[in-house]
Amino acid sequence: MTSTSVAPQPAGLRQTSVSRFSAEYRTDTAFVANPRPRLSWVVATESTDWQQIRAELRLTREGTVESAVREGPDSVLVEWPFAAIAAGEQVAVEVRVSGNDGGTTAWNAPLTLVGGYLEGPWQAEAIGLPAPTGTEIPLGQPGQLRYEFTVGQGLAKATLFATAHGVYQAEINGTEVDDHVLKPGWTAYADRLNHETTDVTALLQAGANAIGVWLAGGWYAEKYGFHGFARPFYGEQPAVKVELRLEYADGTRQTVASGPDWRGTTEGPLVSSGIYAGEAFDARRMEAGWSSPGFDDSHWLPASVDSTSWAEATPAVAPPVRRIEELPVREVLTTPSGATVLDFGQNLVGRLRIRVSGDAGHRITLRHAEVLEGGELSLRPLRLASATDSYTLAGGGAGQNGAAEEEWEPRFTFHGFRYAQVDNWPGELDPVAITAVVIHNDMRRTGWFECSDAMLNRLHENALWGMRGNFLALPTDCPQRDERLGWTGDIQVFSPTASYLYDSLGFLSSWLQDLAIEQSHRNGVVPIVVPAVLGMLESPVAAWGDAATVVPWVLYERFGDRGLLGRQYPSMCDWADALLRVRDSSGLWQGQMQLGDWLDPAAPPDKPGAARTHGDIVASAYLFRSLDLTAKAAAVLGADDDHGKYSTLAEDVRKAFLTEYVTPSGRMVSDAQTAYSLALMFGISTDPVQRQALGDRLAELARLGGYRIATGFVGTPLVADALTVTGHLEAAERLLTQTECPSWLYPVTQGATTIWERWDSILEDGSVNPGEMTSFNHYALGAIADWMHRTVAGLAPAEPGYRKQHIAPRPLHSLQHAGTSHETPYGLASVAWKRSGERILVEAVVPPGTTAVVSLPDGSEEFEVGSGRYAWTVPDAGPAAVPGAVSLDSPLSAIMDDPEAYTAVWRAIDAHDPVAAAQFRKDTVWYRQTSLNQGLIFTPAPIKEDIGSALSALSGTRAAVPSRNPETRRQR
């Protein structure tokens, strides 16, 4: 091994500074949700091996300066050292740090923080839209509310607090108060509401002012359920609380609060709105100046007072949903039926913004879908979601038909789509007039991956876009059909990937509060969706309910958030205890209905839970997993008695699992890849000999199946790791790079731009999977991206929050280079490798304040480094084995493990009979002790002869070309 690192700079040249300073989770606003927000900072320095030895914090409030000193290295989520921030109070915080290089940074630019919570109870009443006499309002009827008020002289500060049963946007004097979308999001409404806190001082003026509110049902007034049983769950009509608190320079205060003296209308331009249905807008009904003072609202009616129970509203901790990106039309298509369809080139979540001119009353319809089938929009996968928006033009000028351009974007709905059908566009459609607006929670991007294989790059991009589309208010399963629910199993398996790609800590912290709330109503049982709106599968479900233990642990591992772990710890214990109550006499979790290894590709389209791995094995493995994680959390939190209790229980389950499901020779009762992966990656099997036997059998199963995917939601995030840790990296690589169906790359070959729900959401004949449940934007199977980060590129946390990293790239034979970077809580860390001749160059960046354990791909002994930039060169081990001569007498296993030979065989068959070639590729079981000739027993002689000739030619080519560097090849 050759190792080099950047030489330390002379002390006089070193530059050290605080490059980022933040409080708690949100960085998009000065308002904080916690009176004692934890503080985090990132240091930038040119010094190597830099460690913080001291941090000084300085707080300024009302002209008084306070200070605090924290000895030691802590710089992530450091406890607030000052008196609590009062509601509405504004303070400024600064930090400077001293390092082991003897230097001290300058004070950072002051961070302004404001207490973003209400002082005292709400004065606002919950109000809804008026119900005209004798008129029945449809479910979730949208509309507008307004109120005029007077502001005195000397206004110093104005803060708007608002929340809703439904979704809303406020305007003051004709201007929207912020750029948030679908406020206040979706929470467990009966128990918890988010409220927004907005500084609106700049929007107000001395004298007459007006506030207006757009209001719609959103998630609150939606119907939930499947197969025609959908029904309202929360309420039928939206309502809102609005409270505007004004503070004057002379110390006086004024409150403007929603109540029965507000006026509203359902006769405005927002005709209808639904999450699933879409939105209808009639611009002819728009009344200019409705949210400005002086508007004549005499024809509006008094707002209705909402008498339903409202949960306490607390400040939002997750970043808001915003318009994140805009995509132009890539192509305008004309379908076989003559319809105009726009292709945006990317499956996305959001809506369309249109700019159009035309006659008053002209109605444009926009229909959305993820894929085309037969050249037309494929609408069946949407099930009962209409996903249709419509816009009725106001017409040009002052009531005249003309060329005045109108612009519109739906306000309270979203769609999952790549394609949009535009019906009844006035005149010729210019694609520039329509833009796709991407929306999701505005999280900070923190993870990147790139390699020499364009298809793998697209796979990673698909996982990224899948997360973007499904991190909208809560972690959903899909964004397009009549579902879009917070399925616990999906985020349980994807949370490591999510925590790498984006700073999702605040987002998932918020959702976990709802998980614990819903769980508290069910004696510790976690529902399959959070918020719980389905009323089904109320008994424990393995891998879904285990989100209660897995997600908090992942967030602790990836972000170092011990406080969140402590907050969720009672939830973890409650789930573990609920599982203990359903154990049978063997001490395992058996005999209950389970979703199991959901969407194993062997499962029929109409039976997605019919997996090769028995549901009892999945359940019992997760019983161990949750007990083990609860024990680990107890140890971190100092709950010694609980640690002993849950550790003992986990060990009992581990032993029972091995007795029940694993034979002495290392075979499992369900001889399927997910079963082996669970036993290996959850740490159920600990004996080295047994683990190797399990790993060897897993690798054999992968080869027997032709390196096609044979796992569902549970096994897919684990199988590549399970192969890797038992010495079968090549098998993991073959799974990753496989393009035949089912595989991670098969959807990429079909043009996928997000992760599919099913491995074959589009069948090989181009048709959409006939299953009732088919989505093209489901992130769960994209959990492989985490293995790509940790193994292919080689960056993983070795201690919570990446205070210590694990740098361990494992170059795949099919790649020339790969690299990843991640914005850890301590700063940017990166690892990249590339082949250069017969050597591999590995480069890494270890952020200040951290260290890394390095395991280079040559198999040399691990070593530890401090912060800085590093470069190492090591020999390239090359292929595991030199391909040799092949023939009809070669074992089937040798043909499958030799991609060139495999390709030669199926292409020889394909030249005669493409159907037979496809069947050969799909149905052959690649045994070790069966020859290719025996496997082709029913193949006509002419085809066999051509196969033999193709293999002979390949062998001849190999004999003529000497292999490269044979002495370096070894089993990896």
Side-chain angles (χ1 to χ4, degrees):
M1 176 189 75
T2 302
S3 173
T4 60
S5 66
V6 175
Q9 297 294 314
L13 298 179
R14 296 173 187 169
Q15 298 293 324
T16 303
S17 62
V18 175
S19 61
R20 189 171 73 236
F21 188 36
S22 59
E24 269 314 310
Y25 300 141
R26 289 184 66 172
T27 59
D28 65 305
T29 176
F31 290 107
V32 290
N34 184 338
R36 305 180 67 90
R38 294 171 297 172
L39 301 171
S40 301
W41 54 90
V42 172
V43 171
T45 181
E46 297 176 6
S47 296
T48 56
D49 296 325
W50 189 90
Q51 289 287 332
Q52 174 185 299
I53 60 173
R54 180 184 302 105
E56 299 173 74
L57 293 160
R58 188 164 69 185
L59 176 77
T60 303
R61 67 169 100 210
E62 296 183 350
T64 301
V65 178
E66 307 170 44
S67 62
V69 175
R70 289 291 178 264
E71 301 289 344
D74 291 347
S75 61
V76 174
L77 297 171
V78 175
E79 294 297 327
W80 181 256
F82 307 108
I85 303 173
E89 181 184 20
Q90 179 172 312
V91 301
V93 192
E94 302 164 88
V95 66
R96 68 179 180 184
V97 300
S98 300
N100 59 353
D101 59 354
T104 298
T105 70
W107 291 100
N108 71 295
L111 175 67
T112 299
L113 303 177
V114 181
Y117 19 87
L118 280 163
E119 181 181 10
W122 284 79
Q123 297 182 39
E125 294 183 71
I127 59 172
L129 298 165
T133 304
T135 302
E136 181 178 350
I137 301 181
L139 178 69
Q141 173 65 48
Q144 296 150 276
L145 295 160
R146 73 180 307 274
Y147 183 75
E148 294 197 18
F149 57 98
T150 301
V151 173
Q153 296 293 330
L155 179 68
K157 184 169 68 172
T159 307
L160 179 70
F161 301 88
T163 189
H165 281 172
V167 286
Y168 78 94
Q169 177 57 292
E171 298 182 6
I172 291 179
N173 298 335
T175 301
E176 292 189 358
V177 300
D178 58 29
D179 60 355
H180 301 184
V181 175
L182 293 165
K183 298 185 300 187
W186 185 9
T187 55
Y189 291 121
D191 298 273
R192 189 174 79 93
L193 286 171
N194 286 329
H195 72 67
E196 300 298 327
T197 308
T198 311
D199 185 342
V200 295
T201 311
L203 300 181
L204 295 171
Q205 59 196 12
N209 292 261
I211 184 168
V213 175
W214 295 95
L215 182 64
W219 295 280
Y220 181 81
E222 192 55 79
K223 293 181 179 180
Y224 299 103
F226 307 130
H227 309 296
F229 294 101
R231 57 182 56 86
F233 183 84
Y234 295 111
E236 296 188 355
Q237 299 300 334
V240 67
K241 285 184 179 180
V242 179
E243 189 160 318
L244 178 60
R245 296 200 172 184
L246 310 178
E247 301 176 38
Y248 292 90
D250 62 3
T252 59
R253 296 187 175 191
Q254 175 186 355
T255 299
V256 177
S258 55
D261 52 345
W262 286 44
R263 299 183 70 79
T265 182
T266 58
E267 302 299 319
L270 196 52
V271 178
S272 64
S273 180
I275 297 294
Y276 302 145
E279 199 158 285
F281 192 93
D282 189 340
R284 296 173 300 176
R285 295 164 53 169
M286 187 70 185
E287 297 183 88
W290 73 277
S291 63
S292 296
F295 174 77
D296 180 6
D297 61 11
S298 59
H299 58 294
W300 289 29
L301 299 174
S304 62
V305 176
D306 183 72
S307 59
T308 60
S309 176
W310 283 59
E312 179 184 0
T314 55
V317 299
V321 178
R322 285 192 171 99
R323 299 168 181 87
I324 303 297
E325 185 177 349
E326 297 183 1
L327 297 181
V329 174
R330 175 175 291 185
E331 186 177 3
V332 179
L333 307 172
T334 301
T335 73
S337 68
T340 298
V341 168
L342 308 179
D343 176 8
F344 291 92
Q346 171 65 54
N347 196 18
L348 61 96
V349 173
R351 54 272 187 112
L352 299 180
R353 180 185 300 132
I354 64 173
R355 292 166 295 280
V356 62
S357 302
D359 295 337
H362 190 97
R363 186 169 181 264
I364 301 165
T365 301
L366 310 170
R367 193 81 193 264
H368 307 76
E370 294 184 296
V371 295
L372 302 178
E373 188 172 19
E376 306 284 350
L377 288 189
S378 181
L379 300 176
R380 179 176 59 83
L382 300 179
R383 296 194 304 216
L384 297 179
S386 297
T388 301
D389 300 327
S390 67
Y391 179 74
T392 302
L393 277 73
Q400 301 176 358
N401 295 336
E405 186 174 73
E406 303 174 34
E407 183 174 295
W408 177 73
E409 173 190 331
R411 185 182 293 274
F412 295 128
T413 192
F414 63 92
H415 311 292
F417 68 101
R418 172 175 172 168
Y419 300 94
Q421 181 170 312
V422 181
D423 294 327
N424 203 32
W425 187 267
E428 183 178 354
L429 173 61
D430 182 353
V432 174
I434 301 183
T435 302
V437 181
V438 178
I439 64 171
H440 58 78
N441 282 77
D442 192 9
M443 303 168 292
R444 180 170 56 93
R445 175 81 182 272
T446 55
W448 297 264
F449 174 88
E450 186 275 335
C451 71
S452 56
D453 187 327
M455 295 185 74
L456 291 181
N457 291 337
R458 182 68 249 186
L459 171 65
H460 189 269
E461 193 73 1
N462 289 359
L464 178 79
W465 274 95
M467 178 179 174
R468 296 181 73 185
N470 285 290
F471 272 51
L472 199 164
L474 51 91
T476 57
D477 60 322
C478 64
Q480 71 299 108
R481 66 180 178 228
D482 55 344
E483 196 164 345
R484 313 182 199 185
L485 304 175
W487 285 89
T488 49
D490 298 55
I491 190 58
Q492 184 266 130
V493 298
F494 192 74
S495 54
T497 304
S499 299
Y500 193 93
L501 294 175
Y502 282 93
D503 181 358
S504 53
L505 180 58
F507 178 91
L508 291 175
S509 173
S510 177
W511 178 76
L512 282 171
Q513 292 182 60
D514 292 316
L515 181 147
I517 286 169
E518 299 287 22
Q519 179 189 15
S520 70
H521 297 307
R522 294 165 174 80
N523 195 26
V525 174
V526 177
I528 54 175
V529 299
V530 171
V533 294
L534 291 182
M536 56 186 285
L537 286 180
E538 292 287 306
S539 59
V541 177
W544 273 252
D546 296 280
T549 56
V550 173
V551 178
W553 185 257
V554 167
L555 297 181
Y556 172 65
E557 175 187 64
R558 300 304 177 96
F559 296 100
D561 194 342
R562 189 177 182 277
L564 182 146
L565 188 68
R567 189 196 74 194
Q568 294 299 128
Y569 179 68
S571 165
M572 298 176 75
C573 293
D574 287 348
W575 172 248
D577 293 344
L579 297 188
L580 292 172
R581 291 193 295 271
V582 297
R583 289 187 303 170
D584 63 14
S585 59
S586 71
L588 298 173
W589 185 5
Q590 301 182 121
Q592 282 193 320
M593 177 184 167
Q594 298 287 351
L595 297 178
D597 194 22
W598 188 252
L599 289 172
D600 177 329
D606 59 339
K607 296 180 180 179
R612 281 167 278 208
T613 298
H614 198 281
D616 286 352
I617 291 180
V618 173
S620 294
Y622 270 98
L623 170 61
F624 170 81
R625 174 75 164 153
S626 279
L627 290 171
D628 185 51
L629 290 181
T630 304
K632 290 178 178 176
V636 170
L637 298 170
D640 295 338
D641 290 344
D642 282 355
H643 173 65
K645 167 189 170 182
Y646 290 113
S647 293
T648 299
L649 289 165
E651 179 62 14
D652 292 343
V653 171
R654 189 186 71 81
K655 292 177 179 176
F657 184 101
L658 295 175
T659 299
E660 189 82 7
Y661 300 129
V662 183
T663 70
S665 63
R667 287 285 188 101
M668 295 198 66
V669 171
S670 281
D671 193 30
Q673 293 182 39
T674 291
Y676 289 92
S677 299
L678 287 166
L680 288 165
M681 296 315 301
F682 285 2
I684 297 172
S685 174
T686 57
D687 177 72
V689 174
Q690 184 185 68
R691 285 179 63 82
Q692 192 59 55
L694 292 170
D696 292 346
R697 179 56 182 171
L698 175 60
E700 185 170 21
L701 289 173
R703 190 200 64 247
L704 287 170
Y707 298 109
R708 297 179 186 225
I709 287 291
T711 52
F713 273 30
V714 169
T716 296
L718 305 175
V719 63
D721 274 307
L723 288 166
T724 303
V725 300
T726 54
H728 299 287
L729 181 64
E730 286 79 11
E733 178 179 4
R734 290 292 300 276
L735 282 176
L736 179 67
T737 57
Q738 173 69 269
T739 58
E740 297 178 13
C741 185
S743 68
W744 281 293
L745 293 184
Y746 167 72
V748 176
T749 69
Q750 301 298 305
T753 60
T754 42
I755 300 295
W756 293 351
E757 179 177 23
R758 296 177 180 267
W759 297 106
D760 59 350
S761 285
I762 291 180
L763 304 181
E764 291 174 283
D765 64 4
S767 62
V768 174
N769 189 294
E772 186 267 347
M773 180 188 73
T774 301
S775 157
F776 298 90
N777 194 350
H778 248 71
Y779 55 62
L781 300 179
I784 186 61
D786 189 53
W787 182 78
M788 295 165 71
H789 303 148
R790 291 182 290 100
T791 302
V792 178
L795 178 62
E799 289 184 1
Y802 292 85
R803 175 169 279 183
K804 179 181 288 186
Q805 296 114 58
H806 196 208
I807 295 173
R810 294 297 177 259
L812 303 185
H813 300 314
S814 58
L815 300 182
Q816 292 303 305
H817 62 82
T820 189
S821 58
H822 175 60
E823 189 70 39
T824 77
Y826 296 90
L828 187 68
S830 66
V831 181
W833 61 264
K834 65 180 178 181
R835 289 192 156 91
S836 178
E838 297 184 2
R839 303 188 71 78
I840 292 177
L841 171 65
V842 178
E843 296 180 308
V845 174
V846 180
T850 72
T851 61
V853 175
V854 181
S855 172
L856 295 173
D858 64 343
S860 56
E861 188 173 346
E862 289 186 346
F863 57 95
E864 189 165 337
V865 298
S867 65
R869 296 177 177 272
Y870 297 91
W872 303 278
T873 58
V874 297
D876 185 352
V882 180
V886 284
S887 69
L888 286 167
D889 294 326
S890 296
L892 283 167
S893 60
I895 298 297
M896 174 45 61
D897 284 336
D898 185 341
E900 289 182 316
Y902 169 70
T903 300
V905 172
W906 75 257
R907 283 183 174 171
I909 302 173
D910 189 71
H912 290 266
D913 187 344
V915 173
Q919 188 173 7
F920 168 80
R921 299 169 75 180
K922 181 179 180 181
D923 297 337
T924 300
V925 180
W926 303 90
Y927 295 113
R928 285 182 285 113
Q929 299 193 55
T930 299
S931 70
L932 174 61
N933 193 39
Q934 291 171 318
L936 297 171
I937 186 172
F938 297 114
T939 302
I943 299 180
K944 276 192 179 184
E945 291 175 4
D946 284 357
I947 293 172
S949 297
L951 294 177
S952 178
L954 177 61
S955 299
T957 301
R958 289 172 173 175
V961 179
S963 60
R964 179 183 67 83
N965 199 15
E967 71 274 9
T968 64
R969 295 188 176 94
R970 59 183 175 82
Q971 182 67 39
R972 294 166 55 125

